Amino acid sequence: MVQPRPLQGLCRFAGAGRGPKGKLRAVAREWAFARAGREDPTKPATIDTDIAEQFAKLGVSVEADAIEEEAKTEVWRVNWQSVMAFLGCETQWRAVAMAVGEGSRLVWLGIDYASARPVFERRDRVRQRQLFSDIQVMEHAALEAMGELDE
C-alpha cells in the first residue's frame, strides 16, 4: 500500500480578495497527489536540504539561495474556509474497485455530499452556497489529478 505523504504546508495568504484563478484547484491537486504518496508532475521541482545533501554526495553543488526549507501552497484568505471544508470531507469520498487485467484498481467517483453535509453545515450559513461551489471546483480538480495517477 502506498503511504500518503503529508500535504505540503498550507499558508493563509492575506490577499485582499480573489486573486489569480486556480488556487483552489492547485490545493485540490496537491491533496490528491499527497494522498497517493506522489508529487504533482505539473509543479516545478524544489530543492530542499535533503535533496541538496544527496546532490553534494554526487559532487554537485547547489547554491544556498536555491534551497527551499518547505514548499508552501498559498491559499487566499477568502478561500481558507473552502479549503478547510474540502479537507474536512477527506473521508467522504466514494470509490469503486474495477477489475483491470489480472488486478484491480480504485476509480474515484467524488465526494458523497449527503455524508459530507455536516462539514458544510458547521460553516458560516451566509457562505454555504459559495463554499459548496468552491468544494465542487476542488473535487473536480482532485478527480482530474486522481485520473492522472492511473496513467
Side-chain angles (χ1 to χ4, degrees):
M1 180 174 162
V2 175
Q3 286 293 342
R5 65 177 182 76
L7 183 64
Q8 296 294 334
L10 295 176
C11 64
R12 194 180 317 198
F13 185 72
R18 294 201 181 267
K21 291 187 176 209
K23 296 257 187 239
L24 291 174
R25 292 182 53 79
V27 170
R29 286 184 61 83
E30 176 69 25
W31 172 84
F33 280 98
R35 260 189 100 264
R38 296 186 33 199
E39 298 283 335
D40 183 348
T42 64
K43 287 180 72 172
T46 58
I47 300 174
D48 60 14
T49 53
D50 182 49
I51 292 175
E53 288 172 9
Q54 292 176 36
F55 276 134
K57 288 178 184 175
L58 295 171
V60 178
S61 63
V62 176
E63 294 181 25
D65 60 345
I67 299 172
E68 295 183 23
E69 288 306 314
E70 181 184 354
K72 298 242 188 272
T73 302
E74 291 182 345
V75 178
W76 285 85
R77 182 178 52 221
V78 71
N79 291 334
W80 189 255
Q81 287 299 316
S82 298
V83 170
M84 293 296 103
F86 177 80
L87 295 176
C89 295
E90 184 169 28
T91 59
Q92 303 309 317
W93 282 80
R94 297 296 172 247
V96 294
M98 291 187 60
V100 179
E102 299 283 323
S104 65
R105 70 179 182 95
L106 283 179
V107 175
W108 294 96
L109 303 174
I111 295 172
D112 180 341
Y113 297 135
S115 297
R117 187 175 182 173
V119 174
F120 305 130
E121 289 177 346
R122 286 190 306 230
R123 307 293 181 205
D124 180 5
R125 283 223 183 275
V126 175
R127 286 213 358 106
Q128 279 184 11
R129 183 169 284 145
Q130 181 63 44
L131 180 75
F132 186 70
S133 176
D134 288 349
I135 287 174
Q136 286 183 310
V137 167
M138 297 177 77
E139 175 187 26
H140 290 287
L143 284 168
E144 181 182 287
M146 289 171 180
E148 291 173 24
L149 288 165
D150 293 333
E151 294 176 358

